């Protein structure tokens, strides 16, 4: 992402290719910037880029590359495909699954804002409701990290377990 501002990932269109594309998407999320375009091209399952060009020609390949879906479209379409968005439970499960992905997007990017707005519309939330939900999740993650840190500091080296006092009571953790 440091060398080029337009990147097109190319994958087989089968299940393995889509899983590989999803892993690539996850790896790229924290690195995204507003001046970078990432796209996901899915070739027919019996082709790699070389065999596709040999069979159909370089011009057809270039045309196919131009129509490859953007990272945001691929991410939102995949999430929607995995959940029944006609039901509250499906939308809630979709938000649950999307939350860690959305939280990986750099906060200062307009792309994050655009993806969050589109996702909120998709799961029938207002952008403000989704933002509040993400902020609460980020706060919970920060508190959990703080608790882990405090537990490391408060547990003696020779004890197998220690009690960690929290606002909601005590919690027994393995040290």
């Amino acid at each position: 992402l440091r060398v080029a501002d337009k990147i097109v990932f190319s994958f087989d269109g089968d299940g393995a290719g889509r899983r590989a594309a999803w892993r690539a998407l996850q790896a790229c999320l924290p690195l995204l910037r507003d001046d970078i375009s990432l796209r996901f091209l899915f070739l027919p399952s019996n082709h790699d880029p070389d065999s596709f060009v040999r069979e159909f020609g370089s011009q057809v390949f270039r045309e196919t590359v131009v129509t490859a879906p953007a990272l945001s479209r691929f991410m939102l379409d995949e999430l929607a495909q995995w959940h029944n968005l006609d039901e509250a439970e499906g939308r809630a499960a979709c938000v649950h699954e999307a939350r860690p992905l959305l939280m990986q997007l750099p906060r200062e990017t307009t792309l994050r804002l655009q993806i969050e707005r589109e996702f909120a519309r998709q799961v029938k939330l207002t952008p403000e409701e989704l933002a509040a939900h993400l902020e609460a999740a980020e706060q919970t993650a920060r508190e959990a990290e703080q608790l882990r840190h405090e537990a490391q500091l408060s547990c003696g080296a020779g004890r197998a377990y220690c009690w960690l006092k929290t606002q909601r009571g005590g919690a027994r953790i393995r040290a």
Side-chain angles (χ1 to χ4, degrees), residues 56-110:
F56 301 106
S58 61
Q59 183 58 35
V60 172
F61 182 74
R62 276 193 218 80
E63 291 168 5
T64 305
V65 165
V66 169
T67 63
L71 175 139
S72 60
R73 181 57 25 220
F74 171 60
M75 183 174 93
L76 295 173
D77 287 350
E78 286 293 298
L79 288 166
Q81 183 178 335
W82 300 339
H83 303 281
N84 183 353
L85 300 183
D86 292 330
E87 299 175 347
E89 293 83 356
R91 291 189 301 273
C94 190
V95 171
H96 177 79
E97 188 162 352
R99 183 176 43 231
L101 301 171
L102 296 171
M103 290 169 55
Q104 285 184 53
L105 292 167
R107 279 190 163 277
E108 66 281 357
T109 62
T110 304

Short mmCIF file of all heavy atoms in Angstrom, two decimals, residues 56-110:
data_model
loop_
_atom_site.label_atom_id
_atom_site.label_comp_id
_atom_site.label_asym_id
_atom_site.label_seq_id
_atom_site.Cartn_x
_atom_site.Cartn_y
_atom_site.Cartn_z
N PHE A 56 -9.01 -15.36 -23.10
CA PHE A 56 -9.90 -14.25 -23.49
C PHE A 56 -9.17 -13.01 -24.00
O PHE A 56 -9.80 -12.12 -24.55
CB PHE A 56 -10.80 -13.86 -22.32
CG PHE A 56 -11.66 -14.98 -21.81
CD1 PHE A 56 -11.37 -15.62 -20.62
CD2 PHE A 56 -12.75 -15.42 -22.55
CE1 PHE A 56 -12.16 -16.66 -20.15
CE2 PHE A 56 -13.54 -16.46 -22.10
CZ PHE A 56 -13.25 -17.09 -20.90
N GLY A 57 -7.88 -12.92 -23.75
CA GLY A 57 -7.10 -11.77 -24.20
C GLY A 57 -6.92 -10.72 -23.12
O GLY A 57 -7.69 -10.64 -22.16
N SER A 58 -5.90 -9.91 -23.30
CA SER A 58 -5.55 -8.91 -22.29
C SER A 58 -6.59 -7.79 -22.20
O SER A 58 -6.81 -7.23 -21.13
CB SER A 58 -4.16 -8.33 -22.54
OG SER A 58 -4.12 -7.70 -23.81
N GLN A 59 -7.22 -7.45 -23.32
CA GLN A 59 -8.23 -6.39 -23.30
C GLN A 59 -9.43 -6.80 -22.44
O GLN A 59 -9.93 -6.00 -21.65
CB GLN A 59 -8.68 -6.04 -24.72
CG GLN A 59 -9.67 -4.91 -24.77
CD GLN A 59 -9.16 -3.61 -24.15
OE1 GLN A 59 -7.97 -3.29 -24.24
NE2 GLN A 59 -10.03 -2.87 -23.51
N VAL A 60 -9.89 -8.03 -22.57
CA VAL A 60 -11.01 -8.52 -21.75
C VAL A 60 -10.61 -8.54 -20.28
O VAL A 60 -11.38 -8.17 -19.40
CB VAL A 60 -11.48 -9.91 -22.23
CG1 VAL A 60 -12.51 -10.49 -21.27
CG2 VAL A 60 -12.04 -9.83 -23.64
N PHE A 61 -9.35 -8.94 -20.00
CA PHE A 61 -8.88 -8.94 -18.62
C PHE A 61 -8.89 -7.52 -18.06
O PHE A 61 -9.36 -7.29 -16.94
CB PHE A 61 -7.48 -9.55 -18.52
CG PHE A 61 -6.96 -9.63 -17.12
CD1 PHE A 61 -7.46 -10.58 -16.24
CD2 PHE A 61 -6.00 -8.74 -16.65
CE1 PHE A 61 -7.00 -10.66 -14.93
CE2 PHE A 61 -5.54 -8.81 -15.35
CZ PHE A 61 -6.03 -9.77 -14.49
N ARG A 62 -8.39 -6.54 -18.83
CA ARG A 62 -8.40 -5.14 -18.37
C ARG A 62 -9.82 -4.66 -18.09
O ARG A 62 -10.07 -3.96 -17.11
CB ARG A 62 -7.73 -4.23 -19.41
CG ARG A 62 -6.25 -4.19 -19.30
CD ARG A 62 -5.71 -3.04 -20.14
NE ARG A 62 -4.49 -3.33 -20.81
CZ ARG A 62 -4.31 -4.02 -21.96
NH1 ARG A 62 -5.27 -4.49 -22.59
NH2 ARG A 62 -3.16 -4.22 -22.47
N GLU A 63 -10.75 -5.01 -18.97
CA GLU A 63 -12.15 -4.62 -18.77
C GLU A 63 -12.73 -5.27 -17.51
O GLU A 63 -13.50 -4.65 -16.78
CB GLU A 63 -12.98 -5.02 -19.99
CG GLU A 63 -12.66 -4.21 -21.22
CD GLU A 63 -13.27 -4.79 -22.50
OE1 GLU A 63 -14.02 -5.78 -22.42
OE2 GLU A 63 -12.97 -4.24 -23.58
N THR A 64 -12.33 -6.51 -17.26
CA THR A 64 -12.79 -7.21 -16.06
C THR A 64 -12.22 -6.56 -14.81
O THR A 64 -12.92 -6.41 -13.80
CB THR A 64 -12.38 -8.70 -16.14
OG1 THR A 64 -12.88 -9.24 -17.36
CG2 THR A 64 -12.93 -9.49 -14.98
N VAL A 65 -10.96 -6.16 -14.87
CA VAL A 65 -10.31 -5.50 -13.73
C VAL A 65 -11.04 -4.20 -13.38
O VAL A 65 -11.27 -3.89 -12.21
CB VAL A 65 -8.81 -5.24 -14.02
CG1 VAL A 65 -8.21 -4.26 -13.04
CG2 VAL A 65 -8.04 -6.55 -14.00
N VAL A 66 -11.43 -3.44 -14.38
CA VAL A 66 -12.10 -2.16 -14.17
C VAL A 66 -13.43 -2.34 -13.43
O VAL A 66 -13.83 -1.49 -12.64
CB VAL A 66 -12.31 -1.42 -15.52
CG1 VAL A 66 -13.23 -0.23 -15.36
CG2 VAL A 66 -10.99 -1.00 -16.09
N THR A 67 -14.10 -3.46 -13.66
CA THR A 67 -15.41 -3.68 -13.04
C THR A 67 -15.32 -4.44 -11.71
O THR A 67 -16.35 -4.73 -11.10
CB THR A 67 -16.33 -4.48 -13.99
OG1 THR A 67 -15.75 -5.77 -14.23
CG2 THR A 67 -16.52 -3.74 -15.30
N ALA A 68 -14.10 -4.74 -11.25
CA ALA A 68 -13.93 -5.45 -9.98
C ALA A 68 -14.50 -4.62 -8.84
O ALA A 68 -14.31 -3.40 -8.79
CB ALA A 68 -12.46 -5.75 -9.73
N PRO A 69 -15.23 -5.27 -7.91
CA PRO A 69 -15.82 -4.51 -6.80
C PRO A 69 -14.77 -3.91 -5.86
O PRO A 69 -13.73 -4.53 -5.61
CB PRO A 69 -16.70 -5.52 -6.07
CG PRO A 69 -16.40 -6.85 -6.65
CD PRO A 69 -15.58 -6.67 -7.88
N ALA A 70 -15.08 -2.74 -5.36
CA ALA A 70 -14.21 -2.08 -4.37
C ALA A 70 -14.23 -2.85 -3.06
O ALA A 70 -15.17 -3.61 -2.78
CB ALA A 70 -14.69 -0.65 -4.15
N LEU A 71 -13.23 -2.64 -2.24
CA LEU A 71 -13.14 -3.28 -0.93
C LEU A 71 -14.42 -3.09 -0.14
O LEU A 71 -14.96 -4.04 0.43
CB LEU A 71 -11.94 -2.73 -0.15
CG LEU A 71 -11.79 -3.21 1.28
CD1 LEU A 71 -10.35 -3.50 1.61
CD2 LEU A 71 -12.39 -2.23 2.25
N SER A 72 -14.94 -1.88 -0.10
CA SER A 72 -16.14 -1.60 0.69
C SER A 72 -17.32 -2.43 0.19
O SER A 72 -18.07 -3.00 0.99
CB SER A 72 -16.49 -0.12 0.64
OG SER A 72 -16.72 0.31 -0.69
N ARG A 73 -17.50 -2.51 -1.12
CA ARG A 73 -18.62 -3.27 -1.69
C ARG A 73 -18.45 -4.75 -1.40
O ARG A 73 -19.41 -5.42 -1.03
CB ARG A 73 -18.70 -2.99 -3.20
CG ARG A 73 -19.79 -3.67 -3.95
CD ARG A 73 -21.23 -3.42 -3.48
NE ARG A 73 -21.48 -2.21 -2.78
CZ ARG A 73 -22.29 -2.08 -1.70
NH1 ARG A 73 -22.97 -3.09 -1.23
NH2 ARG A 73 -22.45 -0.94 -1.10
N PHE A 74 -17.23 -5.27 -1.57
CA PHE A 74 -16.98 -6.68 -1.29
C PHE A 74 -17.28 -7.00 0.17
O PHE A 74 -17.98 -7.96 0.48
CB PHE A 74 -15.53 -7.04 -1.64
CG PHE A 74 -15.11 -8.41 -1.20
CD1 PHE A 74 -15.77 -9.54 -1.66
CD2 PHE A 74 -14.06 -8.57 -0.32
CE1 PHE A 74 -15.38 -10.81 -1.25
CE2 PHE A 74 -13.66 -9.83 0.10
CZ PHE A 74 -14.33 -10.95 -0.36
N MET A 75 -16.79 -6.17 1.08
CA MET A 75 -17.00 -6.40 2.51
C MET A 75 -18.49 -6.37 2.87
O MET A 75 -19.00 -7.29 3.52
CB MET A 75 -16.24 -5.37 3.34
CG MET A 75 -16.35 -5.59 4.84
SD MET A 75 -15.31 -4.47 5.79
CE MET A 75 -16.46 -3.16 6.11
N LEU A 76 -19.19 -5.34 2.43
CA LEU A 76 -20.60 -5.21 2.78
C LEU A 76 -21.45 -6.30 2.14
O LEU A 76 -22.37 -6.83 2.77
CB LEU A 76 -21.10 -3.82 2.39
CG LEU A 76 -20.45 -2.66 3.15
CD1 LEU A 76 -20.88 -1.33 2.57
CD2 LEU A 76 -20.72 -2.74 4.63
N ASP A 77 -21.14 -6.65 0.89
CA ASP A 77 -21.90 -7.71 0.22
C ASP A 77 -21.68 -9.07 0.88
O ASP A 77 -22.61 -9.86 1.03
CB ASP A 77 -21.54 -7.79 -1.26
CG ASP A 77 -22.10 -6.63 -2.06
OD1 ASP A 77 -22.92 -5.85 -1.52
OD2 ASP A 77 -21.70 -6.49 -3.24
N GLU A 78 -20.45 -9.36 1.27
CA GLU A 78 -20.16 -10.63 1.93
C GLU A 78 -20.89 -10.72 3.27
O GLU A 78 -21.51 -11.74 3.58
CB GLU A 78 -18.65 -10.81 2.15
CG GLU A 78 -17.88 -11.13 0.90
CD GLU A 78 -18.22 -12.49 0.32
OE1 GLU A 78 -17.99 -13.51 0.99
OE2 GLU A 78 -18.70 -12.52 -0.83
N LEU A 79 -20.82 -9.66 4.06
CA LEU A 79 -21.52 -9.66 5.35
C LEU A 79 -23.02 -9.84 5.16
O LEU A 79 -23.66 -10.60 5.89
CB LEU A 79 -21.23 -8.36 6.11
CG LEU A 79 -19.82 -8.22 6.68
CD1 LEU A 79 -19.56 -6.77 7.09
CD2 LEU A 79 -19.61 -9.17 7.84
N ALA A 80 -23.59 -9.18 4.17
CA ALA A 80 -25.02 -9.29 3.91
C ALA A 80 -25.39 -10.70 3.45
O ALA A 80 -26.46 -11.21 3.80
CB ALA A 80 -25.44 -8.27 2.85
N GLN A 81 -24.52 -11.31 2.71
CA GLN A 81 -24.79 -12.66 2.20
C GLN A 81 -24.80 -13.70 3.32
O GLN A 81 -25.50 -14.69 3.24
CB GLN A 81 -23.72 -13.02 1.17
CG GLN A 81 -23.90 -14.35 0.50
CD GLN A 81 -22.82 -14.58 -0.54
OE1 GLN A 81 -22.24 -13.67 -1.09
NE2 GLN A 81 -22.55 -15.84 -0.80
N TRP A 82 -24.04 -13.47 4.36
CA TRP A 82 -23.91 -14.43 5.46
C TRP A 82 -25.04 -14.34 6.48
O TRP A 82 -25.14 -15.18 7.37
CB TRP A 82 -22.58 -14.25 6.19
CG TRP A 82 -21.38 -14.44 5.31
CD1 TRP A 82 -21.30 -15.12 4.12
CD2 TRP A 82 -20.07 -13.94 5.55
NE1 TRP A 82 -20.04 -15.06 3.62
CE2 TRP A 82 -19.25 -14.34 4.48
CE3 TRP A 82 -19.52 -13.17 6.57
CZ2 TRP A 82 -17.91 -14.03 4.39
CZ3 TRP A 82 -18.17 -12.86 6.49
CH2 TRP A 82 -17.38 -13.29 5.41
N HIS A 83 -25.87 -13.30 6.40
CA HIS A 83 -26.90 -13.08 7.41
C HIS A 83 -28.23 -12.73 6.76
O HIS A 83 -28.27 -12.11 5.70
CB HIS A 83 -26.49 -11.94 8.36
CG HIS A 83 -25.19 -12.20 9.04
ND1 HIS A 83 -25.08 -13.03 10.13
CD2 HIS A 83 -23.94 -11.76 8.78
CE1 HIS A 83 -23.82 -13.09 10.50
NE2 HIS A 83 -23.10 -12.33 9.70
N ASN A 84 -29.31 -13.09 7.43
CA ASN A 84 -30.64 -12.75 6.95
C ASN A 84 -30.97 -11.33 7.44
O ASN A 84 -31.36 -11.14 8.59
CB ASN A 84 -31.68 -13.75 7.47
CG ASN A 84 -33.06 -13.46 6.94
OD1 ASN A 84 -33.30 -12.45 6.29
ND2 ASN A 84 -33.99 -14.36 7.22
N LEU A 85 -30.81 -10.37 6.56
CA LEU A 85 -31.02 -8.98 6.94
C LEU A 85 -32.49 -8.58 6.95
O LEU A 85 -32.81 -7.43 7.25
CB LEU A 85 -30.21 -8.06 6.02
CG LEU A 85 -28.70 -8.28 6.04
CD1 LEU A 85 -27.99 -7.26 5.16
CD2 LEU A 85 -28.14 -8.25 7.46
N ASP A 86 -33.37 -9.53 6.67
CA ASP A 86 -34.81 -9.28 6.78
C ASP A 86 -35.30 -9.47 8.21
O ASP A 86 -36.46 -9.18 8.51
CB ASP A 86 -35.59 -10.20 5.84
CG ASP A 86 -35.34 -9.88 4.39
OD1 ASP A 86 -35.07 -8.69 4.08
OD2 ASP A 86 -35.39 -10.81 3.56
N GLU A 87 -34.45 -10.00 9.08
CA GLU A 87 -34.82 -10.25 10.48
C GLU A 87 -33.91 -9.48 11.41
O GLU A 87 -32.71 -9.31 11.13
CB GLU A 87 -34.67 -11.74 10.81
CG GLU A 87 -35.53 -12.66 10.00
CD GLU A 87 -35.25 -14.12 10.29
OE1 GLU A 87 -34.23 -14.45 10.94
OE2 GLU A 87 -36.06 -14.94 9.86
N ALA A 88 -34.46 -9.03 12.52
CA ALA A 88 -33.66 -8.30 13.51
C ALA A 88 -32.48 -9.14 13.99
O ALA A 88 -31.37 -8.62 14.17
CB ALA A 88 -34.54 -7.89 14.70
N GLU A 89 -32.72 -10.45 14.19
CA GLU A 89 -31.65 -11.32 14.66
C GLU A 89 -30.50 -11.41 13.65
O GLU A 89 -29.34 -11.41 14.02
CB GLU A 89 -32.19 -12.73 14.96
CG GLU A 89 -33.15 -12.79 16.12
CD GLU A 89 -34.58 -12.42 15.76
OE1 GLU A 89 -34.86 -12.04 14.60
OE2 GLU A 89 -35.45 -12.49 16.65
N GLY A 90 -30.85 -11.48 12.38
CA GLY A 90 -29.83 -11.54 11.34
C GLY A 90 -29.04 -10.25 11.26
O GLY A 90 -27.82 -10.26 11.09
N ARG A 91 -29.75 -9.11 11.37
CA ARG A 91 -29.06 -7.82 11.35
C ARG A 91 -28.15 -7.67 12.57
O ARG A 91 -27.03 -7.19 12.46
CB ARG A 91 -30.08 -6.69 11.26
CG ARG A 91 -30.80 -6.65 9.92
CD ARG A 91 -31.65 -5.41 9.74
NE ARG A 91 -32.69 -5.25 10.75
CZ ARG A 91 -33.91 -5.78 10.67
NH1 ARG A 91 -34.26 -6.49 9.61
NH2 ARG A 91 -34.79 -5.57 11.62
N ALA A 92 -28.64 -8.13 13.75
CA ALA A 92 -27.82 -8.05 14.96
C ALA A 92 -26.57 -8.93 14.82
O ALA A 92 -25.46 -8.52 15.20
CB ALA A 92 -28.63 -8.48 16.18
N ALA A 93 -26.73 -10.12 14.26
CA ALA A 93 -25.58 -11.01 14.05
C ALA A 93 -24.60 -10.39 13.06
O ALA A 93 -23.38 -10.50 13.22
CB ALA A 93 -26.06 -12.38 13.56
N CYS A 94 -25.13 -9.71 12.06
CA CYS A 94 -24.28 -9.05 11.07
C CYS A 94 -23.47 -7.93 11.72
O CYS A 94 -22.27 -7.79 11.48
CB CYS A 94 -25.15 -8.52 9.93
SG CYS A 94 -24.22 -7.92 8.51
N VAL A 95 -24.11 -7.14 12.57
CA VAL A 95 -23.40 -6.07 13.29
C VAL A 95 -22.33 -6.68 14.18
O VAL A 95 -21.20 -6.18 14.24
CB VAL A 95 -24.38 -5.21 14.11
CG1 VAL A 95 -23.64 -4.25 15.03
CG2 VAL A 95 -25.32 -4.44 13.18
N HIS A 96 -22.68 -7.77 14.86
CA HIS A 96 -21.72 -8.44 15.74
C HIS A 96 -20.48 -8.88 14.95
O HIS A 96 -19.36 -8.71 15.41
CB HIS A 96 -22.39 -9.64 16.42
CG HIS A 96 -21.47 -10.43 17.28
ND1 HIS A 96 -21.12 -10.03 18.54
CD2 HIS A 96 -20.80 -11.59 17.04
CE1 HIS A 96 -20.28 -10.91 19.05
NE2 HIS A 96 -20.07 -11.86 18.15
N GLU A 97 -20.70 -9.44 13.78
CA GLU A 97 -19.58 -9.92 12.97
C GLU A 97 -18.79 -8.76 12.35
O GLU A 97 -17.58 -8.84 12.19
CB GLU A 97 -20.09 -10.84 11.87
CG GLU A 97 -18.97 -11.52 11.13
CD GLU A 97 -19.43 -12.73 10.36
OE1 GLU A 97 -20.60 -13.14 10.50
OE2 GLU A 97 -18.61 -13.25 9.61
N ALA A 98 -19.47 -7.70 12.00
CA ALA A 98 -18.81 -6.56 11.35
C ALA A 98 -18.05 -5.68 12.33
O ALA A 98 -17.10 -4.99 11.93
CB ALA A 98 -19.84 -5.72 10.62
N ARG A 99 -18.46 -5.68 13.59
CA ARG A 99 -17.86 -4.76 14.57
C ARG A 99 -16.34 -4.80 14.59
O ARG A 99 -15.70 -3.75 14.47
CB ARG A 99 -18.45 -5.04 15.95
CG ARG A 99 -17.94 -4.07 17.01
CD ARG A 99 -18.58 -4.27 18.37
NE ARG A 99 -18.69 -5.67 18.72
CZ ARG A 99 -19.81 -6.27 19.13
NH1 ARG A 99 -20.92 -5.60 19.25
NH2 ARG A 99 -19.82 -7.54 19.43
N PRO A 100 -15.69 -5.97 14.71
CA PRO A 100 -14.22 -5.95 14.74
C PRO A 100 -13.60 -5.46 13.43
O PRO A 100 -12.54 -4.84 13.44
CB PRO A 100 -13.82 -7.40 15.02
CG PRO A 100 -15.05 -8.22 14.90
CD PRO A 100 -16.23 -7.30 14.95
N LEU A 101 -14.29 -5.69 12.31
CA LEU A 101 -13.78 -5.21 11.03
C LEU A 101 -13.86 -3.68 10.97
O LEU A 101 -12.89 -3.02 10.58
CB LEU A 101 -14.59 -5.81 9.89
CG LEU A 101 -14.61 -7.33 9.80
CD1 LEU A 101 -15.63 -7.78 8.76
CD2 LEU A 101 -13.23 -7.87 9.48
N LEU A 102 -14.99 -3.13 11.34
CA LEU A 102 -15.17 -1.68 11.32
C LEU A 102 -14.20 -0.99 12.27
O LEU A 102 -13.69 0.10 11.98
CB LEU A 102 -16.61 -1.32 11.65
CG LEU A 102 -17.67 -1.82 10.65
CD1 LEU A 102 -19.07 -1.59 11.20
CD2 LEU A 102 -17.49 -1.16 9.30
N MET A 103 -13.94 -1.63 13.41
CA MET A 103 -13.04 -1.03 14.39
C MET A 103 -11.59 -1.04 13.92
O MET A 103 -10.77 -0.28 14.42
CB MET A 103 -13.20 -1.73 15.74
CG MET A 103 -14.54 -1.40 16.39
SD MET A 103 -14.98 -2.39 17.83
CE MET A 103 -13.59 -2.16 18.90
N GLN A 104 -11.26 -1.88 12.94
CA GLN A 104 -9.90 -1.91 12.40
C GLN A 104 -9.64 -0.78 11.41
O GLN A 104 -8.49 -0.43 11.16
CB GLN A 104 -9.65 -3.24 11.68
CG GLN A 104 -9.43 -4.41 12.58
CD GLN A 104 -9.10 -5.63 11.77
OE1 GLN A 104 -8.19 -5.62 10.95
NE2 GLN A 104 -9.86 -6.69 11.98
N LEU A 105 -10.71 -0.23 10.85
CA LEU A 105 -10.53 0.85 9.89
C LEU A 105 -9.94 2.08 10.58
O LEU A 105 -10.39 2.44 11.68
CB LEU A 105 -11.88 1.21 9.26
CG LEU A 105 -12.50 0.16 8.35
CD1 LEU A 105 -13.96 0.50 8.06
CD2 LEU A 105 -11.71 0.04 7.07
N PRO A 106 -8.96 2.73 9.97
CA PRO A 106 -8.39 3.93 10.60
C PRO A 106 -9.46 4.99 10.84
O PRO A 106 -10.25 5.31 9.96
CB PRO A 106 -7.36 4.40 9.57
CG PRO A 106 -7.01 3.18 8.79
CD PRO A 106 -8.28 2.37 8.73
N ARG A 107 -9.50 5.51 12.06
CA ARG A 107 -10.54 6.46 12.46
C ARG A 107 -10.54 7.74 11.64
O ARG A 107 -11.58 8.33 11.42
CB ARG A 107 -10.34 6.85 13.93
CG ARG A 107 -10.89 5.86 14.89
CD ARG A 107 -10.85 6.49 16.29
NE ARG A 107 -11.71 5.77 17.18
CZ ARG A 107 -13.02 5.96 17.28
NH1 ARG A 107 -13.61 6.84 16.53
NH2 ARG A 107 -13.74 5.26 18.12
N GLU A 108 -9.37 8.20 11.23
CA GLU A 108 -9.27 9.50 10.59
C GLU A 108 -9.64 9.48 9.11
O GLU A 108 -9.57 10.50 8.45
CB GLU A 108 -7.85 10.06 10.77
CG GLU A 108 -6.76 9.29 10.05
CD GLU A 108 -6.31 8.02 10.76
OE1 GLU A 108 -6.78 7.71 11.87
OE2 GLU A 108 -5.47 7.31 10.18
N THR A 109 -10.06 8.34 8.58
CA THR A 109 -10.35 8.27 7.15
C THR A 109 -11.83 8.54 6.84
O THR A 109 -12.71 8.16 7.60
CB THR A 109 -9.98 6.89 6.57
OG1 THR A 109 -10.76 5.88 7.20
CG2 THR A 109 -8.50 6.60 6.76
N THR A 110 -12.04 9.18 5.73
CA THR A 110 -13.39 9.36 5.22
C THR A 110 -13.96 8.02 4.78
O THR A 110 -15.17 7.79 4.87
CB THR A 110 -13.39 10.36 4.05
OG1 THR A 110 -12.80 11.58 4.50
CG2 THR A 110 -14.79 10.64 3.54
#
